[in-house]
Amino acid sequence: MRREDQVSIRHKAFIVGAFEHPTRKADGLSLARLHADVALGAMADAGVTSSMIDGYFYAGDAPGFGAFSIPEYLGINPRHIDGTDVGGSSYLAHVAHAAEAIAAGRCSVALVAMAGRPRAARVPIEVDLAFLNNPAIPEVASELPYDLLPVAGYAMCARRHMHQFGTTSEQLAWVKVAASHHAQHNPNAMLRNVVTTEDVLSSPMLSDPLHRLDCCVVSDGGGAVIVASPEIAGSLSRPLVAVRGAGEAVKGLNGGFFDITSSAAVQSGRDAFEMAGIDRADIKYASIYDSFTITVVVQLEDLGFCEKGKGGAFVADGNLISGVGRLPFNTDGGGLCNNHPGNRGGITKIIEAVRQLRGEAHPAVQVPNCDLAIAHGTGGSLGVRHAGATLILERM
């Protein structure tokens, strides 16, 4: 399909409900229970009932056969389902897919839900991300002996970025500093202490050049959003957040001919902004997937907020801190400080963007006159094969 023939979903659907689970360690709570909690929380926030849900969007975190088990557990009967699983970018893609399905008349009220409990289950991160080294995947046979775990892969990206563009560890540390400034106002955040660049640089080195504080937390929890048609959204009493633009893309190794310093966000971001019909300067708030500090730097470059190689300078000196910098990001504390349930923290990027657009973020971090926000997720591993999904959301 030619780009000019693609159907825009601008203002064809609205996020009317959002809920983030308050737990960060779900002892005594099953995965199904977490899914139910977040779904019911989002439904209550939107003011819709289970009988109104006719679209269900899920990924690999849904227990059992997700399309069967969770709808039955919740008592919903969807007529449209989507099990797209691209890791941490799944739920941003799901919101776009829900908008497309609503525009096509396949459903009118969609539930997008995620939950995880790796912390309570004590699942090692290498097991949680076992798909990256799954020997059943054809291309992995030649890579498996090297056992490229996530932190090593992202450290490889960071080291190349430093070599090629002069990025420094102190610049990366500013991403964590900004996240900590925001997390101090979030009572549910795992790490609420404000840190300095010195704190980050003095924390233990895990995989050169990434320190422990360059890495995200591993938590239990999850979240959900409700996406509705214009007709139903207009009948509800909640503030409306429109899907204005969306894009998604996959990037692989291309037989070894690839640039490790760029990501799928180059394509997904370009498509989202083109659909939205706005400039980068119009964005007031950014929710950026932050598995590691280098993830944020690369995504900001690839989404077009600064030139390639200038991401380190862009994030330095508090430029991501709400009320201080030019692009407030992850005002809930993000995956670096607040909540990263397994490898699928993308749902929280949508939820905090919705809070900002509704004016419901914590007063200390609420962005004034926040009318346009971007949410971006990365799934897979940035240094190898991965997906990117981008949403541009608008307050109506």
Side-chain angles (χ1 to χ4, degrees):
M1 180 183 291
R2 296 178 302 170
R3 186 185 303 276
E4 56 268 27
D5 293 332
Q6 293 179 357
V7 177
S8 172
I9 56 174
R10 186 194 302 184
H11 298 160
K12 298 292 180 62
F14 299 84
I15 298 176
V16 295
F19 179 81
E20 180 184 2
H21 207 291
T23 190
R24 300 295 179 263
K25 193 169 190 295
D27 289 330
L29 296 177
S30 68
L31 188 56
R33 169 63 186 275
L34 289 175
H35 269 272
D37 285 349
V38 298
L40 294 172
M43 289 160 59
D45 182 61
V48 302
T49 62
S50 58
S51 63
M52 297 170 67
I53 304 291
D54 58 356
Y56 176 52
F57 295 75
Y58 62 96
D61 56 276
F65 291 99
F68 305 155
S69 304
I70 296 302
E72 182 175 3
Y73 192 71
L74 293 172
I76 62 177
N77 297 287
R79 60 190 178 98
H80 182 73
I81 56 174
D82 186 336
T84 300
D85 189 352
V86 280
S89 57
S90 300
Y91 313 95
L92 295 104
H94 285 161
V95 169
H97 295 181
E100 291 167 353
I102 288 169
R106 298 184 63 83
C107 62
S108 56
V109 181
L111 166 65
V112 178
M114 178 272 159
R117 55 188 312 276
R119 189 177 176 210
R122 297 184 179 181
V123 177
I125 191 66
E126 62 267 23
V127 174
D128 191 44
L129 295 178
F131 70 92
L132 296 177
N133 287 333
N134 185 346
I137 302 173
E139 65 270 19
V140 168
S142 61
E143 301 170 8
L144 188 59
Y146 300 98
D147 199 19
L148 186 65
L149 296 180
V151 65
Y154 281 83
M156 183 170 62
C157 293
R159 180 55 69 194
R160 180 63 192 179
H161 205 279
M162 290 175 169
H163 171 77
Q164 191 163 333
F165 303 115
T167 308
T168 67
S169 290
E170 183 176 8
Q171 289 173 334
L172 295 183
W174 272 107
V175 178
K176 177 73 170 194
V177 171
S180 73
H181 273 268
H182 299 150
Q184 67 176 314
H185 305 293
N186 183 351
N188 295 320
M190 283 187 66
L191 305 178
R192 297 187 63 193
N193 292 334
V194 175
V195 300
T196 65
T197 56
E198 291 78 12
D199 292 329
V200 178
L201 298 178
S202 63
S203 65
M205 184 73 75
L206 295 189
S207 185
D208 191 13
L210 296 181
H211 300 79
R212 183 171 64 192
L213 293 184
D214 284 299
C215 308
C216 69
V217 300
V218 175
S219 72
D220 300 337
V225 296
I226 303 293
V227 186
S229 67
E231 295 76 19
I232 290 179
S235 71
L236 303 173
S237 60
R238 298 298 285 139
L240 299 183
V241 173
V243 179
R244 177 152 180 158
E248 58 190 75
V250 171
K251 184 183 178 187
L253 298 181
N254 193 30
F257 295 94
F258 73 106
D259 180 3
I260 198 174
T261 68
S262 69
S263 71
V266 172
Q267 185 65 54
S268 67
R270 182 186 300 128
D271 289 347
F273 275 101
E274 183 176 305
M275 183 184 293
I278 63 171
D279 296 324
R280 275 68 174 175
D282 296 322
I283 296 294
K284 304 290 179 55
Y285 166 76
S287 276
I288 306 294
Y289 193 80
D290 55 344
S291 49
F292 301 90
T293 52
I294 185 61
T295 316
V296 176
V297 170
V298 170
Q299 303 308 295
L300 288 172
E301 293 174 345
D302 292 348
L303 291 169
F305 288 101
C306 61
E307 295 179 27
K308 175 54 68 178
K310 303 295 186 182
F314 185 87
V315 303
D317 299 323
N319 278 326
L320 300 181
I321 300 175
S322 183
V324 176
R326 47 184 164 170
L327 185 65
F329 104 119
N330 294 7
T331 46
D332 60 343
L336 287 169
C337 293
N338 171 34
N339 185 17
H340 193 274
N343 66 322
R344 303 175 183 278
I347 189 71
T348 59
K349 302 297 165 265
I350 307 167
I351 294 169
E352 185 65 8
V354 169
R355 291 191 190 115
Q356 281 287 348
L357 291 167
R358 286 175 167 183
E360 296 174 353
H362 190 283
V365 298
Q366 176 66 52
V367 177
N369 304 312
C370 187
D371 58 348
L372 285 165
I374 188 171
H376 177 80
T378 301
S381 187
L382 203 62
V384 285
R385 55 198 62 84
H386 65 276
T390 309
L391 292 174
I392 294 177
L393 306 175
E394 180 178 18
R395 183 189 68 215
M396 302 302 292

